[in-house]
Amino acid sequence: MVKLQQIDCRRALYSHGNYELAPWMSKFKVQYVHWTGKSDEEKEELYQKFMKGFTTEPRKTKTVISTDGRLTIPRTQKTARKPGQRKRIKATKTRTK
């Protein structure tokens, strides 16, 4: 069963299987014509690079793109802060004189 899944994963590299690559893994995609022209060692090397790619998470971009692709805006911080504001420990009180 595991070997069958590995074969299906290998087929996803050149788009001839039950699976397709996720957009963030598409950099590993190889055209079928090029795949058939490679030696067994080269195919194994490409497959190993592909498998190592699963351990890395997709990189977060600094911009957000709309679903239709027409608009690109920069990402904002998760929390908005006033200029000069510092993060304080919850237990610390602020004192005024």
Side-chain angles (χ1 to χ4, degrees), residues 56-74:
T56 60
E57 294 182 16
R59 294 182 184 149
K60 294 187 179 183
T61 59
K62 294 183 180 181
T63 58
V64 178
I65 301 172
S66 64
T67 53
D68 62 358
R70 294 182 183 181
L71 181 65
T72 303
I73 59 172

Side-chain angles (χ1 to χ4, degrees), residues 13-49:
L13 281 173
Y14 52 92
S15 303
H16 272 65
N18 297 332
Y19 304 114
E20 61 181 47
L21 297 178
W24 59 277
M25 293 290 287
S26 63
K27 63 183 176 183
F28 296 106
K29 190 173 185 177
V30 179
Q31 296 293 324
Y32 181 71
V33 176
H34 298 288
W35 181 262
T36 56
K38 295 198 178 290
S39 67
D40 291 338
E41 294 84 22
E42 290 173 326
K43 289 178 184 179
E44 186 61 30
E45 184 179 330
L46 286 172
Y47 181 68
Q48 291 302 322
K49 284 183 183 179

Side-chain angles (χ1 to χ4, degrees), residues 70-92:
R70 294 182 183 181
L71 181 65
T72 303
I73 59 172
R75 271 193 201 272
T76 58
Q77 294 179 353
K78 289 186 178 182
T79 57
R81 292 190 177 135
K82 296 175 185 174
Q85 185 178 6
R86 291 181 285 162
K87 183 177 179 181
R88 293 189 173 97
I89 301 171
K90 290 182 180 181
T92 306

